[in-house]
Amino acid sequence: MSRPRGGSRKFNTVPRPYRGAPVPGSFKDPSFRRSLALFRAFRREQDDPAACYALLARDAADQVESYDGPVSGRTVVDVGGGGGYFTEEFRNRGAHAYLFEPDVQELGEEPPDGAVIADGYLLPLRDGVADVTFSSNVLEHVADPQTFLSELARVTRPGGLIYVSFTNWLSPWGGHEWAPWHYFGAERARARYRRRTGKPAKHTLGENLFAVHIGATLRQVRARDDVTVVSARSRYWPFLAETVVKAPGIREVATWNLLLILRRCPP
């Protein structure tokens, strides 16, 4: 498996964001209208997960295309995509999209055709196979983010795009189903969740949820020599999405969810 390496070599030919025609039904990004629509969908996630994740998938695909142009005819690798909503959205746009998910229970009853059960640390793919490697809200669930990112970079062709987003620990949603009570301690938050719902929480800190922070992650990514950072921004923030990430301390709470757009460097 590819490993992080030191050094300062960077891929300097980073294209400007693509500004093509918006997909019908998409929102201006960033905007209050978009953020409100996503928040409303998130609040209905338990009752109508299909609508929630279909909207999130359209929004994420819009973001990918805004930085890298249309995905039609290109190979997209979706790592940790759960039920396959992102994979299906990319396929609807003409991409050759493939889902790699480590947890069979996350696939649901009707996963996309060709979905593969695979660990994100060791993908069953040759080097440089993907034009776009996509990972939505997975990084906070892996114990070794740097090795995970190395594998995303390995399977991406030189010049290809890597989309990585994650919910950082100090975000109001950092505790996932037991947020925002995680601010008072993980064990206390999990105990409160069980008292309130009568069932154990899905996530346990240190087992399938990890305290990932924005500042440390940015330093680690910028130190790598296999990728260059095209954009580091809030995925959902309604304005000044890149500016909020530049404010140390404040960004750990206000960013909500960090989106990294990376470009694979040549070997």
Side-chain angles (χ1 to χ4, degrees):
M1 179 184 296
S2 176
R3 300 287 180 180
R5 296 173 291 170
S8 59
R9 178 171 58 84
K10 297 297 179 185
F11 182 37
N12 294 319
T13 56
V14 178
R16 294 180 179 274
Y18 174 81
R19 302 300 181 191
V23 174
S26 63
F27 299 100
K28 180 182 177 182
D29 175 22
S31 69
F32 281 102
R33 183 167 173 261
R34 168 183 171 270
S35 296
L36 182 60
L38 291 170
F39 180 68
R40 285 174 172 170
F42 174 74
R43 293 192 64 181
R44 299 192 300 269
E45 186 264 344
Q46 293 296 316
D47 299 325
D48 192 0
C52 173
Y53 289 111
L55 176 62
L56 187 60
R58 290 197 301 273
D59 185 75
D62 285 349
Q63 289 178 321
V64 168
E65 292 191 329
S66 74
Y67 285 97
D68 212 40
V71 297
S72 179
R74 303 169 74 192
T75 299
V76 179
V77 171
D78 178 6
V79 182
Y85 294 98
F86 300 106
T87 300
E88 293 289 8
E89 178 62 28
F90 286 122
R91 288 180 180 178
N92 289 340
R93 299 184 186 214
H96 306 292
Y98 304 93
L99 172 62
F100 295 84
E101 168 59 49
D103 188 347
V104 66
Q105 295 182 341
E106 292 292 333
L107 287 175
E109 297 180 358
E110 298 182 6
D113 292 340
V116 177
I117 300 298
D119 194 321
Y121 291 138
L122 191 61
L123 294 168
L125 294 168
R126 62 179 173 81
D127 295 357
V129 69
D131 296 300
V132 177
T133 304
F134 179 89
S135 174
S136 173
N137 295 334
V138 177
L139 201 66
E140 72 267 34
H141 299 294
V142 300
D144 186 352
Q146 287 300 296
T147 298
F148 180 80
L149 289 171
S150 291
E151 189 66 351
L152 299 188
R154 181 188 70 79
V155 303
T156 307
R157 65 168 176 80
L161 192 81
I162 304 170
Y163 177 112
V164 178
S165 81
F166 68 92
T167 304
N168 56 298
W169 177 243
L170 292 179
S171 162
W173 293 276
H176 286 52
E177 73 270 28
W178 26 276
W181 302 97
H182 65 295
Y183 287 130
F184 301 98
E187 290 306 313
R188 181 178 296 181
R190 292 185 77 252
R192 181 186 182 277
Y193 180 87
R194 182 155 194 162
R195 289 195 305 270
R196 185 171 60 87
T197 66
K199 59 183 180 180
K202 176 180 178 180
H203 296 99
T204 301
L205 189 67
E207 294 183 10
N208 58 1
L209 180 65
F210 298 89
V212 184
H213 301 286
I214 290 175
T217 301
L218 288 175
R219 288 190 293 273
Q220 291 167 355
V221 171
R222 287 168 177 161
R224 300 180 66 97
D225 66 355
D226 54 358
V227 298
T228 191
V229 179
V230 176
S231 179
R233 52 159 293 184
S234 170
R235 184 176 182 180
Y236 307 124
W237 193 250
F239 58 92
L240 300 177
E242 291 189 345
T243 301
V244 69
V245 175
K246 297 177 182 177
I250 295 173
R251 65 189 174 195
E252 299 295 342
V253 177
T255 299
W256 297 352
N257 184 289
L258 181 67
L259 170 60
L260 293 171
I261 302 294
L262 310 175
R263 188 74 63 181
R264 179 67 164 97
C265 297

